[in-house]
Amino acid sequence: MQPNTAPLAETGHTTLLTARDITKTFDRTRALQGANFELREGEVHGLLGANGAGKSTLSKVISGHYTLDSGELTYRGHEIRLRSTRDALRIGIAIVMQETSLVPDLTVLENIFLPELGRPGRLDYSELRRRGQEILNDLGQGDSLPFDWEVRRLSSAQKQLVEIAKALGVRAKLLIFDEPTASLSPGEAERLFDIMARLRSSGHGLVFVSHRLEEVFAITDRVTVMREGRTVMNAHPTATLSQAELIRAMVGAELGAIYERGESHHVAETDAPVALEVRNLASAPAVRDVSFSVRKGEILGIGGLVGAGRSETVEAIFGLRPRTGGEVTLGGKKLRADSPQTAIRAGLGFVAEDRRTQNIVPDLSVKENLLLAHLGAHRGFFCSYASREKKVKELLAKLGMPEDRVADASMLNFSGGMQQKIIIARWLLLEPDVLILDEPTKGVDIGTRASIYAMLRDIAAEGVALVVVSSDFEELLGLSDRVVVISDGRTIADLPSAMLDEESLTLLAAPRTSMVRNTEMLNGLAREHGGSGFWALIEGERLICLNAVVSNPALDPGFRAGQARELGATQIPEALRRREPIFVPEADRSRTTLVVPMTSPRGHDLGWVGLSLPADRPLPAPDTIKSRIDTMAATL
Amino acid sequence: MANTETLNRRAPASPLKQFAQRLEVRMLLLALLIAVCLSFLSPFFLTKSNIFNLLDQSVVIGIVAVGMTFVILTGGIDLSVGSVAGLTGIILGLSLQHVPIVPAIGIAVVAGGFIGLISGTLITVFGLAPFVVTLGVMAIGRSLAYIFSGQTAISNIPEAMQNIVYTDVLGIPSNVLFLIALYAAAWGYLTYTKGGRTIYAVGSNKEAARAAGLNTTFYSILPYVLSGAFAAVAITFSISQLLSADPLMGNQMELDAIAAVVIGGASLYGGRGSMIGTLIGVFIMVMIRNGLNLMGVSPFWQGTAIGTIIILALLVERLVSSRISR
């Protein structure tokens, strides 16, 4: 064996873990197909990717939850084979997940030292307490955990701290944080970053899996980006990256050919009657303020990241989840929210996200599964299956399933794609006015996907309004006429898909911790000076507006939050093109605009902030505006 | 095409194999095997009088097992049937002191259904565990039976009650006829009506059933109501035979009923089971008890024997079914 000659001073650059060409297949879905990853001691390494890119799978391979199919894991210079999370923990690899590995009925102390409880012999509680205190002190959190409380009484931030302490209790050297800030308030997230910084300086290697780009820029040293199970950007220093580069790496390739919609693209039918209208819908805690409408024959996509409240929104519309505000109108009539039965009888259909737990009734035959929504909508004592006999035959023929061979078979004998088609057919049988589909191609192989898309397009062509929720932005853009983006439980954009691409969609969907403070600042600027303010990303000739505040209607910049525009199509092309540190008047002299870059404390481009004012009034000094923006940016 | 591919992945089984894959069929074979064994062990087993005796003994447990099948199909359990039978028996006995036979039976059955309604509501609406709720009702029911009866049997039951049991129709005793009719009706309900299919769907996947618009709340409560009501019907037949209502009646009846349903192939997780299976399960239970009596096995040993046979039957079934379905 090669002796370890690396001098101690260089520990900051000692490689802790390398993963090479990792593959992992579930059923027939290839979650990882050649993933590479490298982590050093004393670094925070961001692991990024769109929904389903494989970042969670890779984390779980490294932490021993999944065994890899092929590839090589090297940890501290030795090749390792992990058969369980216990194997991983023993050598010092731990994953910090949300609450999942804690025992709610045991105390904080017992949870931190849970692995010790499995050892023979007596437990020395005072010794454990001393060690627990030591760990918390090292994290700078000396008094933030009551050791004697049961874990169920803790807040989610505290539970996370227990998870971290537990990992350190077994002397973990490598910690994986999987979406650690998802359920934290901004203050709590700050504290977490402080903890992570301390762990980094004590030589731990940290993997940070997150959707939130701002946090990635704030805390990570290097970044690895995954797409479709492959590593597309390997260990790139964060300091030399821009947001746009990162997003381009996450989104990658062009739209696939499977979305050929040909001439059937029916954007023209914007005068069709509105089939479903949702106004200010709320369903605590996940859905806060969602509004959109769909016309007959239209396919509306609902996009957003996992956890943005998309599924909760459609479940609240359908009556599966109590509403706490807002209203839903179906075909001009108000839809009460009491039960799915009400919604179904009013003409709504819903293919829920999880096929196995929310759609399939495994002990009933294919035929009865097909007829299940009929049974739900039917009034009467008997089943009246015969009344649908003809339509069932028709649908089964359309699905390519000979009735005599499949009608009595179990649903579980079929592939995921076929099951999904049967579930969709379940609703078509009722001829609904509006059909909502939550992740209709989840776990479906690529070939069947194309036929599901064709099926959905046919349904829309018959005049049914479709609402499709999807995490796959490529699918969303290829399939829908219009896309509504939901982030943190609110609709933040409603745009024709022709105006969007995956990049702008990714940008719009990303939850922004800075949004609140930014809106406050824009409001302040616009009101004090009697103008309008905006925050936008500008790339070449194109602008994507992240936020806009208009206090003076005459000064509308020509775009709203969530919209993408060519610079020439806005009201302020001159200022946007020049972007100089002075107020730039437009050609018609009606207004003058200052456009200032916004930069994060670590020097990253966060886009541009603009302020438009009437040209006929005395202007404030550009520097005071600029310093105000810089002050705000410095706190991000 | 993708479709044909998925269809071919699993070839349909031969008709014989499909037949053998049905659990009821295998349990019927088991029942016949037990009958053959017992007829060798005891010369009296296959006599005409003993066969009528077997049918007669099947009635009470058979009626209770109908309600139990409904409950187990939804994924629940009803431990209270025995004590509800005891309590409604006392209610029937007391009612007979004041009103004619038909309204008295009506009162008892409604009382049983009402108790089931309470259990079902606590389980479905308030989300309590079926095991715990019915365990509590079991204790309350037995206790109230003692209190209402004054701790003694009510023995002045009108003799006309016997007509319920001892009227023959076409040479078949009326109680056996009732059992057959009840099983036919329950089978028809579970197979052909919206309610019956909903009960299967609730037990198999309640969330999916709800999302498809089925009234899962109502059809989760209904089985407990039926279970309570059928416990009262069952005890009515017992009382008619004995002309006495004892607060101890129906003791441990829940165990026999659950055993019969499970032997009949129902899954305790819900969604799987049938009336035909339950009927076979009832016959197996009654035959074993009857055979042990004929052979003069001490009642103290009978529990050991029955328990062993139930566990062995299910163990063999598990081993065989995993072999067949492969």
Side-chain angles (χ1 to χ4, degrees):
Chain A
M1 231 184 79
Q2 194 79 20
N4 190 357
T5 50
L8 273 173
E10 275 183 30
T11 33
H13 284 283
T14 311
T15 302
L16 192 57
L17 175 112
T18 13
R20 261 221 305 276
D21 295 325
I22 306 288
T23 64
K24 175 74 194 170
T25 308
F26 297 106
D27 292 332
R28 274 170 295 168
T29 330
R30 297 178 67 175
L32 291 179
Q33 31 192 344
N36 293 300
F37 185 69
E38 184 212 276
L39 180 72
R40 292 178 190 153
E41 287 180 9
E43 79 162 336
V44 178
H45 196 128
L47 184 56
L48 279 87
N51 294 328
K55 50 192 195 305
S56 281
T57 312
L58 181 59
S59 312
K60 287 185 173 161
V61 166
I62 295 173
S63 61
H65 277 87
Y66 301 146
T67 53
L68 46 86
D69 293 344
S70 72
E72 200 181 286
L73 275 182
T74 317
Y75 181 70
R76 294 173 137 179
H78 301 283
E79 195 183 335
I80 50 167
R81 268 258 178 253
L82 301 174
R83 257 168 261 102
S84 67
T85 47
R86 262 170 110 151
D87 282 1
L89 270 180
R90 192 160 32 227
I91 58 171
I93 300 177
I95 186 164
V96 177
M97 293 192 289
Q98 291 291 331
E99 304 166 23
T100 45
S101 73
L102 298 180
V103 184
D105 289 319
L106 292 185
T107 64
V108 168
L109 192 67
E110 285 164 332
N111 266 287
I112 294 177
F113 295 105
L114 204 57
E116 309 263 332
L117 296 185
R119 297 226 179 100
R122 251 192 65 218
L123 280 177
D124 182 351
Y125 271 86
S126 56
E127 168 66 13
L128 291 185
R129 192 174 288 270
R130 196 188 54 74
R131 274 175 55 200
Q133 196 58 53
E134 233 168 61
I135 290 171
L136 288 187
N137 289 343
D138 288 348
L139 293 174
Q141 302 292 326
D143 44 2
S144 46
L145 276 185
F147 280 147
D148 297 319
W149 278 26
E150 283 134 33
V151 159
R152 69 163 75 255
R153 290 164 69 190
L154 301 183
S155 72
S156 35
Q158 284 176 310
K159 285 180 187 163
Q160 196 175 49
L161 188 54
V162 175
E163 289 260 16
I164 297 170
K166 184 178 163 191
L168 299 176
V170 295
R171 302 200 167 76
K173 186 82 175 153
L174 190 166
L175 283 89
I176 302 170
F177 290 82
D178 194 356
E179 294 283 352
T181 56
S183 57
L184 300 187
S185 70
E188 290 168 335
E190 210 113 304
R191 205 168 63 170
L192 175 69
F193 290 162
D194 180 52
I195 292 174
M196 290 174 70
R198 277 167 190 267
L199 287 171
R200 166 169 56 193
S201 55
S202 58
H204 291 85
L206 307 183
V207 182
F208 180 66
V209 183
S210 181
H211 282 310
R212 298 179 186 236
L213 297 184
E214 289 170 5
E215 295 178 355
V216 170
F217 280 112
I219 185 80
T220 64
D221 301 299
R222 293 192 298 166
V223 177
T224 292
V225 180
M226 301 193 59
R227 192 171 66 225
E228 285 159 14
R230 284 194 185 83
T231 302
V232 292
M233 181 187 279
N234 197 353
H236 200 290
T238 317
T240 61
L241 270 175
S242 74
Q243 260 200 55
E245 281 175 299
L246 204 52
I247 286 171
R248 204 166 302 129
M250 282 164 67
V251 173
E254 269 64 43
L255 292 193
I258 51 172
Y259 302 100
E260 1 137 5
R261 46 167 100 199
E263 301 84 69
S264 70
H265 194 41
H266 37 263
V267 177
E269 289 176 34
T270 42
D271 51 344
V274 171
L276 173 74
E277 187 169 10
V278 177
R279 242 179 319 191
N280 305 110
L281 182 73
S283 170
V287 185
R288 295 179 194 167
D289 183 6
V290 173
S291 305
F292 63 83
S293 66
V294 214
R295 293 173 186 280
K296 285 187 67 149
E298 188 182 30
I299 303 181
L300 175 77
I302 294 191
L305 298 171
V306 173
R310 300 161 309 169
S311 296
E312 291 83 353
T313 299
V314 285
E315 283 177 14
I317 295 171
F318 190 64
L320 274 170
R321 187 178 281 274
R323 291 181 207 157
T324 49
E327 61 180 50
V328 176
T329 327
L330 190 68
K333 272 189 233 133
K334 240 173 116 174
L335 179 68
R336 283 181 303 139
D338 48 2
S339 76
Q341 192 170 50
T342 320
I344 293 168
R345 286 183 179 160
L348 200 60
F350 177 54
V351 177
E353 177 178 6
D354 195 311
R355 205 155 42 236
R356 192 65 180 74
T357 66
Q358 294 180 289
N359 291 321
I360 292 177
V361 178
D363 293 312
L364 297 186
S365 65
V366 166
K367 189 173 169 188
E368 285 208 271
N369 266 287
L370 201 53
L371 283 156
L372 198 69
H374 152 77
L375 203 61
H378 178 63
R379 295 169 209 263
F381 183 73
F382 290 99
C383 297
S384 305
Y385 284 163
S387 66
R388 304 274 186 180
E389 197 68 38
K390 209 175 126 226
K391 187 92 180 162
V392 167
K393 278 203 174 88
E394 231 175 82
L395 281 169
L396 284 176
K398 217 187 249 177
L399 296 178
M401 304 175 56
E403 197 204 351
D404 53 325
R405 279 177 61 192
V406 302
D408 292 325
S410 161
M411 286 288 280
L412 304 182
N413 289 351
F414 293 93
S415 70
M418 204 46 162
Q419 292 174 354
Q420 190 69 358
K421 287 188 185 175
I422 296 168
I423 299 299
I424 296 174
R426 168 191 289 177
W427 295 103
L428 297 186
L429 197 62
L430 297 185
E431 297 170 350
D433 299 322
V434 180
L435 181 59
I436 302 174
L437 302 104
D438 195 354
E439 303 283 2
T441 60
K442 194 173 164 188
V444 168
D445 60 284
I446 193 91
T448 319
R449 260 183 208 206
S451 65
I452 287 181
Y453 296 145
M455 191 171 165
L456 295 182
R457 245 173 250 123
D458 286 349
I459 301 166
E462 284 166 25
V464 179
L466 292 188
V467 177
V468 179
V469 176
S470 176
S471 298
D472 184 343
F473 289 166
E474 188 183 331
E475 166 176 301
L476 209 57
L477 291 170
L479 189 62
S480 31
D481 301 313
R482 203 152 50 83
V483 176
V484 164
V485 181
I486 295 181
S487 177
D488 280 339
R490 297 170 206 282
T491 26
I492 56 159
D494 183 343
L495 298 164
S497 48
M499 278 182 58
L500 282 168
D501 54 25
E502 282 186 72
E503 269 176 53
S504 48
L505 205 50
T506 308
L507 263 178
L508 288 170
R512 293 182 176 274
T513 16
S514 51
M515 189 57 107
V516 180
R517 268 175 282 178
N518 191 291
T519 308
E520 263 169 37
M521 183 191 69
L522 288 180
N523 264 321
L525 283 175
R527 215 171 313 115
E528 281 162 40
H529 301 286
S532 62
F534 60 87
W535 174 26
L537 298 171
I538 303 172
E539 250 199 272
E541 267 295 296
R542 220 163 50 107
L543 163 145
I544 298 164
C545 177
L546 297 171
N547 201 358
V549 172
V550 181
S551 72
N552 180 348
L555 295 178
D556 185 341
F559 47 81
R560 277 180 292 128
Q563 289 188 332
R565 284 274 186 281
E566 295 292 317
L567 297 189
T570 68
Q571 301 293 325
I572 46 170
E574 194 59 28
L576 289 175
R577 284 204 187 100
R578 283 173 54 185
R579 300 200 283 273
E580 285 171 17
I582 49 160
F583 279 93
V584 177
E586 295 304 318
D588 61 358
R589 302 274 154 197
S590 67
R591 65 180 91 187
T592 181
T593 308
L594 174 70
V595 180
V596 177
M598 187 160 76
T599 319
S600 79
R602 289 170 47 126
H604 290 293
D605 163 31
L606 295 178
W608 300 80
V609 175
L611 178 67
S612 287
L613 297 176
D616 50 358
R617 257 185 272 162
L619 297 170
D623 282 346
T624 54
I625 308 278
K626 191 165 167 15
S627 73
R628 213 166 140 184
I629 291 167
D630 287 344
T631 319
M632 203 279 297
T635 64
L636 290 182
Chain B
M1 230 178 95
N3 297 340
T4 35
E5 193 185 345
T6 40
L7 280 181
N8 291 340
R9 230 160 25 95
R10 284 210 182 181
S14 70
L16 185 71
K17 202 170 169 187
Q18 274 183 347
F19 189 67
Q21 271 174 359
R22 290 193 65 102
L23 188 105
E24 294 96 333
V25 173
R26 295 203 297 278
M27 280 302 160
L28 187 62
L29 291 177
L30 178 70
L32 291 176
L33 182 73
I34 292 172
V36 170
C37 289
L38 287 176
S39 65
F40 278 111
L41 288 169
S42 163
F44 300 106
F45 185 76
L46 274 187
T47 57
K48 191 185 167 198
S49 71
N50 192 47
I51 288 175
F52 269 98
N53 195 10
L54 278 174
L55 288 172
D56 189 62
Q57 285 169 2
S58 304
V59 172
V60 173
I61 181 74
I63 294 170
V64 175
V66 173
M68 190 64 77
T69 306
F70 278 53
V71 170
I72 287 180
L73 276 176
T74 64
I77 193 101
D78 189 351
L79 299 178
S80 67
V81 282
S83 72
V84 170
L87 175 60
T88 51
I90 295 300
I91 292 174
L92 175 62
L94 293 174
S95 304
L96 284 170
Q97 315 300 316
H98 306 287
V99 295
I101 289 175
V102 174
I105 294 175
I107 291 169
V109 172
V110 169
F114 182 71
I115 297 170
L117 179 65
I118 294 173
S119 309
T121 308
L122 288 171
I123 290 162
T124 307
V125 180
F126 294 96
L128 302 182
F131 190 95
V132 179
V133 170
T134 56
L135 190 68
V137 173
M138 170 170 145
I140 295 169
R142 186 63 67 196
S143 148
L144 290 181
Y146 280 113
I147 289 171
F148 289 173
S149 65
Q151 294 92 49
T152 49
I154 301 165
S155 47
N156 50 343
I157 306 289
E159 298 224 345
M161 280 286 281
Q162 285 194 328
N163 296 338
I164 295 173
V165 188
Y166 295 124
T167 311
D168 284 11
V169 180
L170 304 170
I172 304 170
S174 52
N175 60 347
V176 174
L177 210 59
F178 178 85
L179 186 74
I180 294 167
L182 179 65
Y183 270 78
W187 172 79
Y189 182 78
L190 285 179
T191 314
Y192 293 113
T193 70
K194 179 171 130 179
R197 301 322 290 166
T198 306
I199 286 172
Y200 275 98
V202 163
S204 183
N205 188 344
K206 192 169 182 174
E207 207 180 322
R210 190 164 107 82
L214 299 172
N215 192 342
T216 52
T217 309
F218 180 81
Y219 290 106
S220 298
I221 296 176
L222 180 70
Y224 291 95
V225 176
L226 292 178
S227 180
F230 284 142
V233 173
I235 211 66
T236 304
F237 281 100
S238 274
I239 290 173
S240 314
Q241 262 169 332
L242 301 169
L243 288 183
S244 161
D246 190 298
L248 202 66
M249 272 180 154
N251 199 20
Q252 297 200 349
M253 192 190 255
E254 62 280 349
L255 297 184
D256 282 2
I258 293 168
V261 175
V262 172
I263 291 176
S267 157
L268 285 178
Y269 296 107
R272 226 172 296 170
S274 72
M275 287 323 301
I276 297 166
T278 297
L279 191 61
I280 295 168
V282 168
F283 284 148
I284 289 178
M285 290 292 293
V286 170
M287 273 194 304
I288 295 172
R289 233 178 247 283
N290 173 276
L292 293 173
N293 278 334
L294 286 180
M295 286 183 287
V297 176
S298 136
F300 299 113
W301 277 109
Q302 285 191 11
T304 306
I306 290 176
T308 311
I309 292 169
I310 291 172
I311 293 173
L312 274 180
L314 290 178
L315 185 66
V316 171
E317 157 57 27
R318 172 58 53 88
L319 297 176
V320 170
S321 72
S322 63
R323 182 81 44 99
I324 288 183
S325 58
R326 212 174 285 158

